[in-house]
Amino acid sequence: MLQCIFILSDSGEVIVEKQMVGHRVDRAICGWFWDYVLANAAGDPSKILQVVVSPTHYLFQIYRNGVTFLACTQVEMPPLMAIEFLSRVADVLTDYLGDLNEDIIKDNFVIVYQILDEMMDNGFPLTTEPNILKELIAPPNIVNKMLNVVTGKSSTLGSKLPDAAASFVPWRTTVVKDASNEVYVNIVEELDACVNREGVLVKCEAYGEIQVNCSLPGVPELTMSFANPTIMNDFTFHPCVRFRPWESDQVLSFVPPDGQFKLMSYRVKKLKKTPIYVKPQLTSDSGNCRVSVMVGIRNDPGKPIDSITVQFQLPPLIVSADLTANYGTVDILADKTCLWTIGQIPKDKAPALSGNLRLEEGLAQLHTMPTFQVKFKIMGVALSGLQIDKLDVKNTPSAPYKGFRAQTQAGKYEVRS
Amino acid sequence: MAPTVPSAAKSASPSQPSGKSEVADLKQQLRQLAGSRAPDADDQRRDVFKRVISCMTAGIDVSAAFGEMVLCSATSDVVTKKMCYLYVGAHARAHPDLALLTINFLQRDCRDQDPTIRGLALRSLCSLRVPNLVEYLVTPLATGLKDPSAYVRMIAAVGAAKLYHISATACIDADLPASLKALMLSDPDAQVVANCLHALQEIWTLEAANSEAAAREIETLYSKPVVFYLLNKIKEFSEWAQCHVLELASKFLPSDNNEIFDIMNLLEDRLQHANGAVVLSTIKVFLHLTMSMTDVHQQVYERIKAPLLTLVGAGSPEQSYSVLCHLHLLVMRAPMLFSSDYKSFYCQFSDPSYVKKLKLEMLTAIANESNTYEIVTELCEYAGNVDVPIARESIRAVGKIALQQYDVNAIVDRLLQFLEMDKDYVTAETLVLVKDLLRKYPQWSHDCIAVVGNISSKNIQEPKGKAALIWMLGEYSQDMHDAPYVLESLVENWDEEHSPEVRLHLLTAVMKCFFKRPPETQKALGATLAAGLSDTHQDVHDRALFYYRLLQYDPAVAERVVNPPKQAVSVFADTQSSEMKDRIFDEFNSLSVVYQKPSYMFTDKEHRGPFEYSEDLTNLAVGAEAPENVISAQRYQENDNDLLLSTSDKEDNGTRASNGSSTSTYNAPSDLIGLSSQTPAETSLINTGGPTYSSQSNFSLDDLLGLGVTEAPAPPPPPALTLNSKPVLDPGTFQRKWGQLALALTQECSLSPQGAASLMNPQSLIRHMQSNHIQCIASGGHPPNYKFFFYAQKDGATAFFLVECIVNTASAKAQLKIKADDGTAAEAFSALFQSALSKFGLS
């Protein structure tokens, strides 16, 4: 049970305070928390643990765009529940306000209070479905537009209320108006890989999400099947997905919520191929370290590989670094990070970064080798190979427009040297 | 849209004068608006209210405007109403008299046509928390529970719990719990059902302290009909309510295996839920249900592995740490089952170091014959990591893996490579490990010594590394060519050596070296003893004196003491007791797991007060009322232990067997309940746990240890009444006797504060009492309340004493009910029992 939720700015100032139970939490706890952040992470809340124990309370915190969501409790509770809830609060607020930052929250704090009031009662999460919340609390732009309507006939706003709350598909309101009769499916994959010193692929996994943007009238019935469902090692579903059809035939059958949502996420283990290679070489002797990094296409995914960057932390004990590339730009950032922005790999040459690092006086060889973090993006392809076979929409007055997309990007893609 | 009041934003402290003038200004405006019927009055009111709330948020004390706010509260605008409710809720407590003014409009709103308004008003009414307004609360709540709108019913249900916190009697007198229960079992709306459940749990748990009836009601919540009713509806609940129901289900004790399988089938798809909290709660249910079925329990591990690993990798970074902590717990319990997933625990460069630390521990635990090579290769890459603590940690991990493997050939080479990296902390860590390795695998000494001999002691700064090197110099001085001279140069710098640990090792090493190579060491020995005797550190001085006297007495004896033939160490003691691990496991899906401590160790008792969901005593699987439960509880624990042995401890057993040294085993069995008759010595050996190594030598040290042990447990004082040290009474007979015998004595006594603090779970007290010849037949409970059934037998007689003992650790009090076959001895036994109890935690 959460006793209180604070929203803090990135200087530790309290933007919103919402007490959840009778036992008030003094806001001095925020001061304590901020001191802790300063002491342990130099004022960057994203660097500290999500669960912090203070002398009086257990604190859960998540950090989004300079805003810290801080929850306090004094009793034992599932930590993931608190963290999931705070993440949900952040998501709902982003959804409501279009974005999430200190100024937006300050400008709309009345909405924020109302939302928190509906999302949690007596310390336990209550309504967190954006669809239902939007019926209880009008989003800000509508409030502006229809101020008079709302104030004049507040009862019409309320009478809609029980619809979704009592509905058996709580994520969907029974009447969706203004539907443009379209459904878009987007497969988004992140490739995590680890290549060791010898250039061997130690680990390669893909995490995928199927995002659906649905604008269909009425209560549509959707079924989706994959050409190769067996490649997925594990999956989680949106509550709308029926479990049995998936169990028996690996078919996703669901009544979708209106708008954008994450239909499922999955994991594909033990991939064998990476689209590009990054070959770093560091050799050091007598106070100098020669660096050479080669990048090229290893397995052509059939679509252009975009936004390639290679980034690494310069090892400590380096006096100066002189690094150049035959393609793209090389920047040494303030925190001694070297960022090589390549973009697309050109047809005529292989991008290479080379140069020299001067070590500190008295140090002949380099002992700590940097890890190279690689980023890229490929539109139009899901690298795990997952393919949607078909998507059927039933229960709609006319055949809707169906759109499919896919993209893969590098997640934690690391090459050691 | 709402411009934040500039002065409010600036003044973070309530004491700033700008805040005061602001409030005065707001009061003024509110007063003007109060009676206004101007067409734009609503808009103006809304703006002023916004400013008030904004000041409140900025920490300015706006309570002075309470009266004015109430005057302005009559409005039809929902948003303004909500702001007003928020304000009133925050300040009513400080102004109980003025709060009365708000009752009127809130009560009116409770009868509004619009369910939103009704709901909001009811919520605000319950949030006032002013005791003298309770009378106005009961009627709207009772009506609210019968409201046609689910929204209102849902708020009313939570409201009932809030009312209970304000005034328990008002809530009970109005019979709200009964209405809640009826609603819970019949309402069509899932959220109403969930809120009723939540409210009932809160009310009855607190009420159970004073009333038997409430305690029974709690039991019905965990009964089969209720649990199955809720589980069958699980898909209708919101994800949070699902967590709640799953938590309830995890406490449900199924009567047979069919029920267990029914529940698991029902919940299987919850493992695929997008919300990590639901997944973890489901896992908890699965783990707890299958505790008694070893095979199924292992299958459960297999089944939950994938969802957990996905949560760790795919969830937000915030979630992944908490999930990782839970995964860590499971991996530590059953490392074998995760051995093929080792790649999931590889550290990513971008992982925060607290995550890396957990992953390293897991990698260490799951290493076995099949994956050791890959894991060690991976760990070696971390040794050159920029993050020094992690580099250290990974070297230690390599060492630990070496200690738990049979084939350490490759690992030893890797460790020796570390020494060539020529980085001070790497060298220091590695030396410590090489030392431990040699203690376990003396056969490797040849290879290691060759490399270690090349290391200059001057390059090692860290005391631990230095001490390890010195130990090796002493132990293997016959193989290391220049050992005496290295030691001699170290002795010369005695005064510069700041760490007493190093000086102690130096003393011993020189002694050992002396017996192996006397002519070369004699000079160094003299210097060492002289330096040691004049050392300021107590231990160093004493040890030097001891060696000196030994040598004076008889060098041959001294050699036997200092240089006995060593037996290889088979198992290094674990720091965290298995009892503790079990305890944390019981608290799966809670903060305990994140802290890696059971909750009693970090939860502050003072603050638990009204919020605590203390497990009620009637919840225990004990007592004369439920004989079959007593047995099932025992079986449960035994099975749990079997399971443990079949997984995590398997390896330890293997090692022990293979090394053939079967001296003391350290894996404290956690099921001492009414089982084995452990001798006090064994018991206390377990308690002493700590860093002592299990099978040190078959020599004098063992005797020393043995002496210490027999003294430790404070044998019972020689009372007039002596007890049979090994009485036998089966649960059935106990049951019957407890039913038949009349109560001989009832008494209240107190525990020592230390005792109360160390009563972390029933086992600790049970062991203590066992050492006093009082056996436990059943126990249970959660902090702060425990219940025990003990029995004892008069020595040389057949008469038994039976005791029911309820201990409250918060107050350090115990209630005793004693029944005896021989009523005349009851007094004496009671005295004996109390004296034993009072010594608990002191030994």
Side-chain angles (χ1 to χ4, degrees), chain B residues 707-735:
Chain B
L707 270 179
V709 161
T710 37
E711 269 172 6
L721 177 78
T722 45
L723 297 175
N724 181 354
S725 62
K726 284 174 189 167
V728 182
L729 189 65
D730 64 285
T733 324
F734 184 95
Q735 210 64 63

mmCIF file of all heavy atoms in Angstrom, chain B residues 707-735:
data_model
loop_
_atom_site.group_PDB
_atom_site.id
_atom_site.type_symbol
_atom_site.label_atom_id
_atom_site.label_comp_id
_atom_site.label_asym_id
_atom_site.label_seq_id
_atom_site.Cartn_x
_atom_site.Cartn_y
_atom_site.Cartn_z
ATOM 1 N N LEU B 707 35.619 -27.398 22.855
ATOM 2 C CA LEU B 707 35.449 -26.840 24.191
ATOM 3 C C LEU B 707 34.521 -25.644 24.154
ATOM 4 O O LEU B 707 33.577 -25.534 24.917
ATOM 5 C CB LEU B 707 36.809 -26.393 24.734
ATOM 6 C CG LEU B 707 37.604 -27.437 25.509
ATOM 7 C CD1 LEU B 707 38.920 -26.847 25.940
ATOM 8 C CD2 LEU B 707 36.796 -27.927 26.693
ATOM 9 N N GLY B 708 34.822 -24.772 23.215
ATOM 10 C CA GLY B 708 34.035 -23.546 23.103
ATOM 11 C C GLY B 708 32.577 -23.872 22.888
ATOM 12 O O GLY B 708 31.701 -23.217 23.426
ATOM 13 N N VAL B 709 32.351 -24.878 22.121
ATOM 14 C CA VAL B 709 30.984 -25.192 21.758
ATOM 15 C C VAL B 709 30.176 -25.688 22.927
ATOM 16 O O VAL B 709 29.063 -25.262 23.158
ATOM 17 C CB VAL B 709 30.990 -26.229 20.613
ATOM 18 C CG1 VAL B 709 29.661 -26.919 20.517
ATOM 19 C CG2 VAL B 709 31.330 -25.512 19.333
ATOM 20 N N THR B 710 30.763 -26.578 23.694
ATOM 21 C CA THR B 710 29.966 -27.122 24.783
ATOM 22 C C THR B 710 29.661 -26.065 25.830
ATOM 23 O O THR B 710 28.691 -26.160 26.541
ATOM 24 C CB THR B 710 30.665 -28.316 25.453
ATOM 25 O OG1 THR B 710 32.053 -28.027 25.468
ATOM 26 C CG2 THR B 710 30.384 -29.598 24.688
ATOM 27 N N GLU B 711 30.479 -25.064 25.883
ATOM 28 C CA GLU B 711 30.205 -24.019 26.854
ATOM 29 C C GLU B 711 29.099 -23.080 26.384
ATOM 30 O O GLU B 711 28.353 -22.548 27.166
ATOM 31 C CB GLU B 711 31.473 -23.199 27.106
ATOM 32 C CG GLU B 711 32.290 -23.751 28.245
ATOM 33 C CD GLU B 711 33.619 -23.053 28.355
ATOM 34 O OE1 GLU B 711 33.843 -22.075 27.620
ATOM 35 O OE2 GLU B 711 34.412 -23.502 29.187
ATOM 36 N N ALA B 712 29.082 -22.896 25.102
ATOM 37 C CA ALA B 712 28.227 -21.857 24.550
ATOM 38 C C ALA B 712 26.745 -21.919 24.932
ATOM 39 O O ALA B 712 26.196 -20.910 25.336
ATOM 40 C CB ALA B 712 28.370 -21.841 23.037
ATOM 41 N N PRO B 713 26.070 -23.045 24.792
ATOM 42 C CA PRO B 713 24.616 -22.987 24.886
ATOM 43 C C PRO B 713 24.060 -22.843 26.294
ATOM 44 O O PRO B 713 22.850 -22.957 26.451
ATOM 45 C CB PRO B 713 24.183 -24.305 24.262
ATOM 46 C CG PRO B 713 25.318 -25.219 24.515
ATOM 47 C CD PRO B 713 26.549 -24.388 24.495
ATOM 48 N N ALA B 714 24.851 -22.565 27.271
ATOM 49 C CA ALA B 714 24.368 -22.357 28.628
ATOM 50 C C ALA B 714 23.454 -23.490 29.068
ATOM 51 O O ALA B 714 22.250 -23.418 28.906
ATOM 52 C CB ALA B 714 23.630 -21.032 28.760
ATOM 53 N N PRO B 715 24.032 -24.529 29.565
ATOM 54 C CA PRO B 715 23.223 -25.692 29.951
ATOM 55 C C PRO B 715 22.197 -25.293 31.003
ATOM 56 O O PRO B 715 22.422 -24.362 31.777
ATOM 57 C CB PRO B 715 24.256 -26.667 30.517
ATOM 58 C CG PRO B 715 25.446 -25.823 30.855
ATOM 59 C CD PRO B 715 25.451 -24.685 29.910
ATOM 60 N N PRO B 716 21.072 -25.979 31.010
ATOM 61 C CA PRO B 716 20.028 -25.599 31.960
ATOM 62 C C PRO B 716 20.551 -25.689 33.387
ATOM 63 O O PRO B 716 21.350 -26.584 33.704
ATOM 64 C CB PRO B 716 18.934 -26.629 31.694
ATOM 65 C CG PRO B 716 19.593 -27.732 30.928
ATOM 66 C CD PRO B 716 20.722 -27.108 30.198
ATOM 67 N N PRO B 717 20.120 -24.777 34.219
ATOM 68 C CA PRO B 717 20.590 -24.818 35.605
ATOM 69 C C PRO B 717 20.088 -26.103 36.257
ATOM 70 O O PRO B 717 19.035 -26.604 35.880
ATOM 71 C CB PRO B 717 19.938 -23.583 36.224
ATOM 72 C CG PRO B 717 18.756 -23.313 35.350
ATOM 73 C CD PRO B 717 19.139 -23.751 33.981
ATOM 74 N N PRO B 718 20.813 -26.619 37.204
ATOM 75 C CA PRO B 718 20.376 -27.874 37.823
ATOM 76 C C PRO B 718 19.130 -27.672 38.683
ATOM 77 O O PRO B 718 19.255 -27.284 39.843
ATOM 78 C CB PRO B 718 21.588 -28.283 38.668
ATOM 79 C CG PRO B 718 22.372 -27.016 38.866
ATOM 80 C CD PRO B 718 22.070 -26.130 37.720
ATOM 81 N N PRO B 719 17.974 -27.845 38.138
ATOM 82 C CA PRO B 719 16.756 -27.614 38.900
ATOM 83 C C PRO B 719 16.348 -28.873 39.655
ATOM 84 O O PRO B 719 16.903 -29.937 39.434
ATOM 85 C CB PRO B 719 15.749 -27.290 37.815
ATOM 86 C CG PRO B 719 16.254 -28.011 36.596
ATOM 87 C CD PRO B 719 17.701 -28.354 36.798
ATOM 88 N N ALA B 720 15.371 -28.685 40.494
ATOM 89 C CA ALA B 720 14.859 -29.823 41.236
ATOM 90 C C ALA B 720 14.261 -30.830 40.263
ATOM 91 O O ALA B 720 14.341 -32.026 40.454
ATOM 92 C CB ALA B 720 13.806 -29.356 42.230
ATOM 93 N N LEU B 721 13.652 -30.261 39.218
ATOM 94 C CA LEU B 721 13.005 -31.116 38.240
ATOM 95 C C LEU B 721 13.940 -31.308 37.055
ATOM 96 O O LEU B 721 14.390 -30.344 36.455
ATOM 97 C CB LEU B 721 11.728 -30.425 37.769
ATOM 98 C CG LEU B 721 10.924 -31.118 36.685
ATOM 99 C CD1 LEU B 721 10.105 -32.252 37.244
ATOM 100 C CD2 LEU B 721 10.069 -30.106 35.973
ATOM 101 N N THR B 722 14.265 -32.531 36.726
ATOM 102 C CA THR B 722 15.074 -32.730 35.524
ATOM 103 C C THR B 722 14.202 -33.345 34.441
ATOM 104 O O THR B 722 13.282 -34.122 34.722
ATOM 105 C CB THR B 722 16.269 -33.649 35.791
ATOM 106 O OG1 THR B 722 15.810 -34.748 36.551
ATOM 107 C CG2 THR B 722 17.374 -32.917 36.502
ATOM 108 N N LEU B 723 14.523 -32.985 33.232
ATOM 109 C CA LEU B 723 13.693 -33.424 32.119
ATOM 110 C C LEU B 723 14.408 -34.488 31.306
ATOM 111 O O LEU B 723 15.631 -34.475 31.178
ATOM 112 C CB LEU B 723 13.364 -32.231 31.212
ATOM 113 C CG LEU B 723 12.549 -31.122 31.858
ATOM 114 C CD1 LEU B 723 12.420 -29.967 30.889
ATOM 115 C CD2 LEU B 723 11.188 -31.625 32.288
ATOM 116 N N ASN B 724 13.641 -35.355 30.739
ATOM 117 C CA ASN B 724 14.158 -36.357 29.831
ATOM 118 C C ASN B 724 14.689 -35.647 28.596
ATOM 119 O O ASN B 724 14.023 -34.815 28.009
ATOM 120 C CB ASN B 724 13.011 -37.305 29.461
ATOM 121 C CG ASN B 724 13.473 -38.402 28.539
ATOM 122 O OD1 ASN B 724 14.621 -38.398 28.092
ATOM 123 N ND2 ASN B 724 12.577 -39.333 28.259
ATOM 124 N N SER B 725 15.909 -35.964 28.206
ATOM 125 C CA SER B 725 16.493 -35.217 27.085
ATOM 126 C C SER B 725 15.923 -35.663 25.749
ATOM 127 O O SER B 725 16.011 -34.942 24.772
ATOM 128 C CB SER B 725 18.007 -35.368 27.095
ATOM 129 O OG SER B 725 18.333 -36.729 26.930
ATOM 130 N N LYS B 726 15.366 -36.842 25.715
ATOM 131 C CA LYS B 726 14.812 -37.284 24.428
ATOM 132 C C LYS B 726 13.414 -37.867 24.596
ATOM 133 O O LYS B 726 13.207 -39.075 24.422
ATOM 134 C CB LYS B 726 15.731 -38.329 23.787
ATOM 135 C CG LYS B 726 16.968 -37.697 23.178
ATOM 136 C CD LYS B 726 17.934 -38.732 22.681
ATOM 137 C CE LYS B 726 19.239 -38.060 22.277
ATOM 138 N NZ LYS B 726 20.320 -39.000 22.073
ATOM 139 N N PRO B 727 12.460 -37.028 24.933
ATOM 140 C CA PRO B 727 11.110 -37.556 25.087
ATOM 141 C C PRO B 727 10.518 -37.834 23.706
ATOM 142 O O PRO B 727 10.908 -37.217 22.721
ATOM 143 C CB PRO B 727 10.372 -36.420 25.771
ATOM 144 C CG PRO B 727 11.084 -35.202 25.337
ATOM 145 C CD PRO B 727 12.507 -35.576 25.080
ATOM 146 N N VAL B 728 9.597 -38.778 23.655
ATOM 147 C CA VAL B 728 8.952 -39.081 22.384
ATOM 148 C C VAL B 728 7.445 -38.929 22.539
ATOM 149 O O VAL B 728 6.848 -39.495 23.448
ATOM 150 C CB VAL B 728 9.280 -40.523 21.943
ATOM 151 C CG1 VAL B 728 8.632 -40.802 20.600
ATOM 152 C CG2 VAL B 728 10.788 -40.690 21.861
ATOM 153 N N LEU B 729 6.870 -38.121 21.696
ATOM 154 C CA LEU B 729 5.417 -37.918 21.754
ATOM 155 C C LEU B 729 4.976 -37.614 20.328
ATOM 156 O O LEU B 729 5.479 -36.692 19.704
ATOM 157 C CB LEU B 729 5.115 -36.727 22.663
ATOM 158 C CG LEU B 729 3.642 -36.487 23.016
ATOM 159 C CD1 LEU B 729 3.118 -37.638 23.849
ATOM 160 C CD2 LEU B 729 3.482 -35.185 23.770
ATOM 161 N N ASP B 730 4.050 -38.415 19.824
ATOM 162 C CA ASP B 730 3.645 -38.127 18.445
ATOM 163 C C ASP B 730 2.497 -37.118 18.451
ATOM 164 O O ASP B 730 1.815 -36.951 19.458
ATOM 165 C CB ASP B 730 3.246 -39.420 17.721
ATOM 166 C CG ASP B 730 2.044 -40.057 18.338
ATOM 167 O OD1 ASP B 730 2.210 -40.657 19.446
ATOM 168 O OD2 ASP B 730 0.949 -39.919 17.789
ATOM 169 N N PRO B 731 2.312 -36.421 17.365
ATOM 170 C CA PRO B 731 1.333 -35.339 17.317
ATOM 171 C C PRO B 731 -0.080 -35.801 17.697
ATOM 172 O O PRO B 731 -0.819 -35.088 18.370
ATOM 173 C CB PRO B 731 1.364 -34.891 15.859
ATOM 174 C CG PRO B 731 2.705 -35.266 15.366
ATOM 175 C CD PRO B 731 3.070 -36.506 16.115
ATOM 176 N N GLY B 732 -0.416 -37.009 17.308
ATOM 177 C CA GLY B 732 -1.748 -37.505 17.621
ATOM 178 C C GLY B 732 -1.965 -37.595 19.126
ATOM 179 O O GLY B 732 -2.985 -37.150 19.663
ATOM 180 N N THR B 733 -0.981 -38.146 19.807
ATOM 181 C CA THR B 733 -1.079 -38.283 21.257
ATOM 182 C C THR B 733 -1.117 -36.910 21.914
ATOM 183 O O THR B 733 -1.879 -36.655 22.853
ATOM 184 C CB THR B 733 0.123 -39.083 21.812
ATOM 185 O OG1 THR B 733 0.453 -40.087 20.880
ATOM 186 C CG2 THR B 733 -0.198 -39.690 23.144
ATOM 187 N N PHE B 734 -0.297 -36.023 21.398
ATOM 188 C CA PHE B 734 -0.276 -34.662 21.930
ATOM 189 C C PHE B 734 -1.665 -34.067 21.849
ATOM 190 O O PHE B 734 -2.204 -33.538 22.815
ATOM 191 C CB PHE B 734 0.699 -33.808 21.111
ATOM 192 C CG PHE B 734 0.868 -32.411 21.638
ATOM 193 C CD1 PHE B 734 1.909 -32.104 22.495
ATOM 194 C CD2 PHE B 734 -0.027 -31.407 21.297
ATOM 195 C CE1 PHE B 734 2.061 -30.830 22.984
ATOM 196 C CE2 PHE B 734 0.105 -30.130 21.793
ATOM 197 C CZ PHE B 734 1.164 -29.840 22.643
ATOM 198 N N GLN B 735 -2.237 -34.226 20.672
ATOM 199 C CA GLN B 735 -3.572 -33.738 20.391
ATOM 200 C C GLN B 735 -4.561 -34.252 21.430
ATOM 201 O O GLN B 735 -5.337 -33.502 21.997
ATOM 202 C CB GLN B 735 -3.953 -34.291 19.015
ATOM 203 C CG GLN B 735 -4.882 -33.425 18.244
ATOM 204 C CD GLN B 735 -4.182 -32.134 17.943
ATOM 205 O OE1 GLN B 735 -3.185 -32.110 17.248
ATOM 206 N NE2 GLN B 735 -4.680 -31.055 18.496
#
